[in-house]
Amino acid sequence: MTKYIIVGQGLAGTLLAYQMHKNNIPFKIIVDPIQKSASEIAAGLINPLVFKRLTKSWMADSLFPKMYETYNEMEELLSVKFIEQKKMIKPLVEQDIPMWQKRIDQGNMNHYIDRVDNDLRLEGYKAIEHYGSLNQTGACNLNIMIHAMRNFFKQHGYLIKEHLKVEDVTFEDKYVYWKNLSAEKIIFCRGYKDAQNALFPSDSFYLTKGELIEIEANALNEDYILNKNLFVLPTGQKRFKVGATYDWDTINESPTNEGKSDLLTKLDKLIDTDYTILNHWAGVRPTVKDRRPILGIHPHNKRLAIFNGLGTKGVMLAPYFSEQMLQLLENPQTQIDDEVKLDRFF
Ligand SMILES: Cc1cc2nc3c(=O)[nH]c(=O)nc-3n(C[C@H](O)[C@H](O)[C@H](O)COP(=O)(O)OP(=O)(O)OC[C@H]3O[C@@H](n4cnc5c(N)ncnc54)[C@H](O)[C@@H]3O)c2cc1C
């Protein structure tokens, strides 16, 4: 008997489990290590702005403090470093500059916009005529975080490495059962696999496949993240993650030649140095039709819950909403943001 069963140990399951551990709440977390996870291949980029209209990303002012606070706490708990702040450079065309200048003058985005300037020379990059530079950006190395947390969960007896079949879960008034385990609630955090979870409405997700590559480039600047039609993220030792593609039509985890050549064409417009391709990955983002996370207890089954829909910005969303999710589980009367409520799909 435990209190909660979490299914899935990507970003969503890991953060929710961390909140439970922190609050001394009993739980088990089930993960199928063979089942691919978007979190293990994601670049983990942190960017508070939407460049298209140069606006703040949804809820950025609330999400950012919670995000850095939570990941720093986890780093301390694990004695492992996985989050790094690094300035992001956004190359601009001349027509973009008035809008950037306007945002700086308005003042409410100065926390995120460092400056707008001209003529930047960075080792290995083509000359950048105009650019904006951003604060508060960086990346979370999710692969390191997820595996360090997996070891931690294992050491504390929380982890069950198995594939859970939804049809093996049974419900009674007081408990939910799976194999020889019983709990008060089960929470599904299976990323895009929950788009086909028979226990929840089937038309809430609008999944997005993404591909990215890893390169090694000895003469490429490692001090900044570059972002122009794609990102170039330094990850140390002259390695860089380059991505990502967006495909809403073919949903699978297979890297393609088209994806790779799309990334390389964009990369070659940006850089001016030799590189070697080390890896090429593909994954599926659990994106939702209205682009908001999904949190909630099933309206017709109080033993069943979901924490999902982290979409394209899981790193920013997971710390804040995992805390809200736990409050909701512990007290179903808790008021959460209407935009993220599971109820919106019923
Ligand atoms: C190419 C790409 C680039 C991305 N880049 C970024 C980025 O730069 N910044 C950012 O914030 N986000 C990025 N994302 C999005 C980010 O990856 C997601 O928001 C986040 O990882 C989703 O986490 P999740 O836990 O919901 O799902 P997942 O990470 O997919 O985790 C699902 C978990 O469920 C488990 N599971 C599934 N089925 C079962 C089963 N039957 N039994 C047991 N376990 C099961 C899996 O093993 C896994 O542990 C990117 C995604 C992709 C694909």
Side-chain angles (χ1 to χ4, degrees), residues 2-17:
T2 186
K3 190 163 187 190
Y4 297 115
I5 299 171
I6 299 172
V7 192
Q9 201 235 319
L11 198 44
T14 301
L15 266 290
L16 183 58

Side-chain angles (χ1 to χ4, degrees), residues 315-333:
V315 173
M316 284 163 51
L317 296 166
Y320 182 93
F321 284 108
S322 58
E323 206 175 85
Q324 252 190 29
M325 184 69 203
L326 183 59
Q327 284 164 7
L328 186 69
L329 290 168
E330 289 286 283
N331 175 10
Q333 308 312 323

Side-chain angles (χ1 to χ4, degrees), residues 8-12 32 35 37-39 42 44-45 163-164 191 311-315:
Q9 201 235 319
L11 198 44
D32 175 0
Q35 176 60 54
S37 146
S39 309
L45 214 62
H163 182 86
L164 177 139
T312 58
K313 299 209 166 181
V315 173

